[in-house]
Amino acid sequence: MDSITRLTQIEASLLGVISAITQTPSKNVQRARLASSIATAKVTGVATTAGIFGLVSTLGTAGTGTAIGTLSGAASTSATLAWIGGLVGGGMGA
């Protein structure tokens, strides 16, 4: 028996246990797990984005040499995105 089949069987057994403990149908448990996974992914993405923006605004400098942390509004957003783009995509000069 391959590992994928075995893991699928174990997951089904655990789902049955969860359904018995919570006294809910297994379909509802599956939906709740899916919703929880999606919510966790969304929150993680938002937190990561906020962390990156915070780090860049603290440490980064704009193309003019001005610290990004001293900028505000659209200038700050543009400089932050350009700084990140410079790391990821090669910069605006390309």
Side-chain angles (χ1 to χ4, degrees), residues 24-53:
T24 57
S26 61
K27 287 184 181 181
N28 291 348
V29 173
Q30 287 176 327
R31 288 183 188 135
R33 286 182 59 212
L34 179 62
S36 175
S37 296
I38 291 170
T40 301
K42 296 288 184 182
V43 169
T44 302
V46 168
T48 302
T49 302
I52 289 171
F53 267 75

Side-chain angles (χ1 to χ4, degrees), residues 23-92:
Q23 297 181 353
T24 57
S26 61
K27 287 184 181 181
N28 291 348
V29 173
Q30 287 176 327
R31 288 183 188 135
R33 286 182 59 212
L34 179 62
S36 175
S37 296
I38 291 170
T40 301
K42 296 288 184 182
V43 169
T44 302
V46 168
T48 302
T49 302
I52 289 171
F53 267 75
L55 183 65
V56 169
S57 69
T58 302
L59 302 176
T61 56
T64 60
T66 305
I68 294 176
T70 62
L71 300 173
S72 64
S76 174
T77 302
S78 295
T80 302
L81 292 174
W83 197 88
I84 293 170
L87 290 177
V88 177
M92 293 175 65

